[in-house]
Amino acid sequence: GDANYGTEKDKITCPFYLKIGACRHGDRCARIHMKPTKSQTVLLRNMYYNPANHMAVVDGESIEYDESESNEDFNEFYEDIATELKKFGEIEELHVCDNLGEHLMGNVYVKYIDEDAASLCLSSLNGRYYGGKPLFGELSPVTHFREARCVQYDRGECSRGSFCNFLHLKRVPRDVLRKAFPPDSSRRDRHRDGRDSRNERHRDDDRRDRSRDDDRRSNRDRRDREREDDRDGRHQHRSDRKDRDERDRRDSDHHRRDERDRRDADDHRRDERSDRDKDHSRKRDEGDSSQRESQRRRTQITDEEKKDPPKKEDAPNFDAEISMLERMASEMA
């Protein structure tokens, strides 16, 4: 429902994009990034060149940047962009990110007093170059930077450092602010009238309200970080489970393939053994058949001899031949 819109309970809209105008998941985010069609705030992505993220390397060793020189470069950058951005309308807030996360690094947020000035700024700057880099601008849903900035960073105690997902806004010296936005009489009158109309009790109430709001926002930011960490953990768990399922599927495929190969080998051996048995049986049957045929023939010959025995006179007379041979021998003697 509407009560959950922009919170962690809202499973459709990305709460981080609504709060800070950027999401570290980018287009891969599982939730919708509701990009506004009208807004007072323009986001210029990666416009500021942060030297903390581009340290020089000499002979394979990193050379730390000079912080004082970096601050001077930032002050010049701030005055320069303020001068350019004021051409499109009166600026209410101008902030530069000090984060080093890819989705926040060098981002510039400019909030105008009306939406028309923001639209004019966007149409005028898109396609132009600054510092040799093309400018990429878009309307941002961020209109209350107290919800977007990291309270712990403002207190000097952010545990996530420069890769925090809430805005670490660079501190602008007062003299630079005065140069970038010279105070005019109407603004001074408005501020003076506001101060004069508020007594000490009201100031104390405001301070207490701000402190309470900061504490509430800090607790909410901490809960959002914890929920995001839990969501990242669940995402990693799903990724690990997907990898594990993929490994199990491959192992199952290998097992089924090995089992099929074993069955094929067993079938082949069984077929060979059956063929050998058939050959032995055939040869044995052929031998038995040949033996039966021989026996049959011998039996047939014996039966024929019994039916027609040889005649006696046909038998050879060996005694007569011997007597004749002895007689011939005696005559020759």
Side-chain angles (χ1 to χ4, degrees):
D2 294 338
N4 296 330
Y5 180 76
T7 67
E8 277 295 322
K9 294 182 180 180
D10 185 357
K11 301 303 180 182
I12 299 177
T13 308
C14 178
F16 269 88
Y17 182 78
L18 289 178
K19 283 184 180 180
I20 64 176
C23 174
R24 67 190 184 93
H25 298 292
D27 295 335
R28 296 170 298 154
C29 183
R31 304 184 186 185
I32 297 176
H33 293 174
M34 299 293 291
K35 296 186 178 182
T37 57
K38 290 186 177 182
S39 176
Q40 296 174 248
T41 307
V42 174
L43 166 60
L44 300 171
R45 291 187 178 276
N46 310 122
M47 185 178 183
Y48 172 59
Y49 181 88
N50 195 333
N53 200 43
H54 301 84
M55 292 186 296
V57 178
V58 178
D59 296 332
E61 295 184 0
S62 298
I63 305 301
E64 295 291 340
Y65 66 95
D66 188 344
E67 187 173 356
S68 60
E69 183 178 352
S70 173
N71 291 335
E72 293 178 4
D73 291 340
F74 170 73
N75 294 341
E76 293 178 2
F77 168 81
Y78 192 88
E79 293 179 23
D80 189 22
I81 63 171
T83 302
E84 183 66 24
L85 295 174
K86 284 189 297 184
K87 296 177 181 179
F88 310 111
E90 185 177 350
I91 294 176
E92 188 172 321
E93 294 184 64
L94 177 60
H95 300 291
V96 180
C97 284
D98 200 25
N99 303 69
L100 296 183
E102 183 178 356
H103 61 301
L104 294 176
M105 183 175 61
N107 285 359
V108 173
Y109 293 84
V110 53
K111 180 182 178 183
Y112 290 94
I113 61 172
D114 57 54
E115 297 174 349
D116 292 338
S119 299
L120 178 61
C121 170
L122 184 63
S123 61
S124 301
L125 292 185
N126 264 337
R128 292 177 56 180
Y129 282 74
Y130 183 87
K133 298 188 302 181
L135 295 178
F136 298 101
E138 63 184 58
L139 294 177
S140 174
V142 181
T143 54
H144 301 286
F145 287 91
R146 290 183 62 185
E147 296 290 329
R149 65 195 303 160
C150 177
V151 178
Q152 295 178 350
Y153 172 77
D154 293 340
R155 295 175 178 175
E157 55 185 26
C158 180
S159 59
R160 286 184 171 237
S162 298
F163 290 92
C164 177
N165 284 320
F166 286 89
L167 301 185
H168 288 192
L169 302 180
K170 289 188 71 68
R171 295 175 176 85
V172 184
R174 289 185 178 180
D175 59 331
V176 176
L177 283 174
R178 282 195 295 270
K179 290 181 183 178
F181 302 102
D184 54 30
S185 59
S186 60
R187 182 175 298 178
R188 284 198 303 270
D189 292 341
R190 286 198 304 270
H191 290 175
R192 184 173 59 252
D193 292 341
R195 286 193 298 268
D196 292 342
S197 63
R198 191 180 299 119
N199 57 29
E200 187 66 25
R201 180 175 56 81
H202 290 160
R203 285 198 295 270
D204 292 339
D205 291 341
D206 287 342
R207 281 195 294 269
R208 282 196 298 270
D209 291 340
R210 284 195 298 270
S211 177
R212 185 168 55 252
D213 290 342
D214 289 343
D215 292 338
R216 187 183 300 113
R217 184 154 43 90
S218 177
N219 293 331
R220 184 171 60 250
D221 293 346
R222 177 177 51 79
R223 289 195 300 271
D224 289 342
R225 290 192 187 95
E226 292 174 353
R227 293 190 184 109
E228 186 180 12
D229 290 341
D230 292 340
R231 187 170 59 185
D232 292 342
R234 290 194 299 272
H235 178 73
Q236 183 65 33
H237 176 70
R238 285 195 298 269
S239 178
D240 293 342
R241 185 172 58 188
K242 183 177 179 181
D243 294 340
R244 186 169 58 252
D245 293 342
E246 181 66 20
R247 288 195 302 270
D248 293 342
R249 187 187 62 78
R250 289 197 300 267
D251 293 342
S252 178
D253 291 341
H254 289 319
H255 177 72
R256 285 196 297 269
R257 190 161 49 247
D258 293 342
E259 187 66 25
R260 186 172 59 250
D261 293 341
R262 282 196 296 270
R263 286 198 303 269
D264 292 341
D266 292 341
D267 292 341
H268 181 68
R269 285 194 296 270
R270 190 161 47 250
D271 293 340
E272 287 183 343
R273 186 165 55 249
S274 177
D275 292 339
R276 287 197 302 270
D277 293 342
K278 289 179 180 179
D279 289 340
H280 292 325
S281 177
R282 181 174 53 79
K283 290 179 180 180
R284 186 171 59 249
D285 293 341
E286 290 176 355
D288 293 344
S289 177
S290 176
Q291 187 176 3
R292 286 194 299 271
E293 182 64 23
S294 297
Q295 182 66 28
R296 187 185 65 77
R297 289 179 180 178
R298 284 197 299 270
T299 304
Q300 184 179 4
I301 293 173
T302 304
D303 292 341
E304 289 177 355
E305 287 178 351
K306 287 180 180 181
K307 291 179 181 179
D308 190 14
K311 296 180 179 179
K312 191 172 183 180
E313 59 271 12
D314 294 339
N317 191 354
F318 294 107
D319 294 337
E321 291 181 0
I322 293 173
S323 299
M324 183 182 64
L325 290 174
E326 287 179 350
R327 197 168 45 249
M328 289 176 62
S330 61
E331 290 179 354
M332 290 177 66

